[in-house]
Amino acid sequence: MPDTTKQESGRGLWYGAAAYGIWGLFPLFWPLLEPGAADDILANRMVWSLVAVMLLLVAQRHWGWIRPLLRQPRRLAMLAAAAAVISVNWGVYIWAVNAGHVVETSLGYFINPLVTIGFGVLVLKERLRVAQWTAVGIGAAAVAVLTVAYGQLPWIALTLALSFATYGLLKKTVGLSGVESLAAESAFMFPFALAYLVYLEVSGHGTFGHTVAGSYGWGHSGLLMLSGVITAIPLLCFGAAAVRVPLTVLGLLQYLAPVFQFLIGVTVFHESMPTARWAGFALVWVALALLTWDALRRVRADRAERAAAAVPQPVPAPAATR
């Protein structure tokens, strides 16, 4: 492998680690925005995400994709649906983190690959290998165990996993890059978010632009604005990683985010982890280990097939004449 290719792959690995690392550290950020409520934080994140991504597009002078997109109603409808789904995901995630359910949010992103596989079967009619079916079965058993452990369905985790898997399916169909997709989705969300912020301001429940002695000051408004920037930065890192490293590497790096979230929930916020919950999480991790093993085995097999196909076949000797 040439040195330049190795350097690019190394950079891609760091970009990917940065993207998933930042996403994994999000539980440390949202509590800083209190006493803003989850709906207040979500609306601000939507508004300032559009501001941040527009600044990026201005800096890159990257506008050529907009006009063709506006002439495709089907793609626009899918982007609107993606915006609605990711809004649910963001809202539940912010509320759950600030309500002390960080560990359960990590569960949502741990089981997301299993839900994505389920969508592949149900929606895209994909055929699963034995190892994948086994992983899905173990994942279903894990949900059953965790339902008993929590005393109810782990609805936060399931909502996050289902919404993010749906979002991924829509984005796969639309086919836009991370920044372009965020720009379009933020544009759809912006009028509703801005209208809601105006409503919060009029009703006296908004926190942006206000100071309360002994509670929060102007730094709070600055952090609300920063929510747009921290939404955009990991997407940029992810985009830079996606063009430099194989998808299998990104697939492995994706586990960084829920691992960080889980560790933060247990070690920083000291959330309870009874034995039954450990058992449920252990089943999820077994399922993910099986998926990872199967994916790596498939990659090695594909490489071997391509290498065999690339070997020139011997030319048969001409038949002897009598």
Side-chain angles (χ1 to χ4, degrees):
M1 181 183 296
D3 289 341
T4 54
T5 304
K6 288 182 179 180
Q7 290 174 358
E8 286 300 298
S9 296
R11 290 194 188 100
L13 190 63
W14 283 110
Y15 282 130
Y20 286 108
I22 292 172
W23 283 323
L25 295 176
F26 269 7
L28 297 176
F29 179 73
W30 303 122
L32 300 178
L33 303 184
E34 293 179 325
D39 56 347
D40 186 15
I41 297 171
L42 175 62
N44 272 282
R45 184 183 186 184
M46 292 175 176
V47 167
W48 296 111
S49 290
L50 180 61
V51 174
V53 77
M54 290 300 289
L55 291 174
L56 285 172
L57 293 176
V58 168
Q60 297 175 350
R61 298 182 180 179
H62 184 48
W63 307 103
W65 58 277
I66 297 177
R67 186 172 295 178
L69 178 63
L70 294 176
R71 294 196 292 264
Q72 301 176 67
R74 184 171 178 271
R75 290 181 82 195
L76 287 172
M78 288 186 176
L79 281 169
V85 170
I86 200 61
S87 298
V88 172
N89 183 274
W90 286 1
V92 171
Y93 182 74
I94 293 169
W95 174 85
V97 167
N98 286 358
H101 301 287
V102 176
V103 168
E104 192 174 345
T105 66
S106 76
L107 174 64
Y109 293 108
F110 274 128
I111 66 176
N112 178 68
L114 301 173
V115 175
T116 299
I117 287 175
F119 277 19
V121 173
L122 297 175
V123 180
L124 303 179
K125 308 303 180 184
E126 295 177 352
R127 298 183 64 181
L128 300 186
R129 297 183 290 274
V130 173
Q132 292 174 312
W133 275 119
T134 305
V136 171
I138 295 172
V143 171
V145 170
L146 288 165
T147 298
V148 174
Y150 280 102
Q152 61 179 4
L153 272 174
W155 68 269
I156 294 173
L158 292 175
T159 301
L160 292 176
L162 288 168
S163 60
F164 202 72
T166 303
Y167 178 66
L169 181 64
L170 290 168
K171 282 177 69 73
K172 179 181 177 66
T173 306
V174 171
L176 285 178
S177 73
V179 174
E180 294 168 358
S181 181
L182 178 61
E185 294 155 15
S186 299
F188 278 113
M189 296 186 288
F190 181 83
F192 303 101
L194 184 61
Y196 192 70
L197 286 180
V198 171
Y199 162 74
L200 290 177
E201 181 69 23
V202 172
S203 63
H205 294 97
T207 58
F208 180 78
H210 294 278
T211 61
V212 175
S215 182
Y216 61 91
W218 289 109
H220 174 74
S221 296
L223 288 173
L224 287 172
M225 296 172 67
L226 187 62
S227 65
V229 176
I230 71 162
T231 298
I233 287 177
L235 276 175
L236 284 176
C237 293
F238 178 82
V243 297
R244 289 175 170 86
V245 298
L247 287 177
T248 50
V249 176
L250 285 179
L252 293 175
L253 287 174
Q254 73 174 323
Y255 297 127
L256 282 177
V259 165
F260 283 4
Q261 292 165 7
F262 179 82
L263 292 175
I264 288 171
V266 173
T267 64
V268 177
F269 297 112
H270 305 292
E271 294 184 18
S272 175
M273 280 293 293
T275 303
R277 290 186 192 176
W278 278 111
F281 270 86
L283 285 173
V284 171
W285 295 332
V286 168
L288 294 178
L290 183 59
L291 274 184
T292 302
W293 169 80
D294 180 67
L296 293 175
R297 184 176 63 87
R298 184 69 259 172
V299 168
R300 286 195 294 268
D302 289 342
R303 285 177 179 171
E305 290 176 6
R306 287 196 298 268
V311 175
Q313 299 297 317
V315 178
T321 57
R322 292 181 181 268

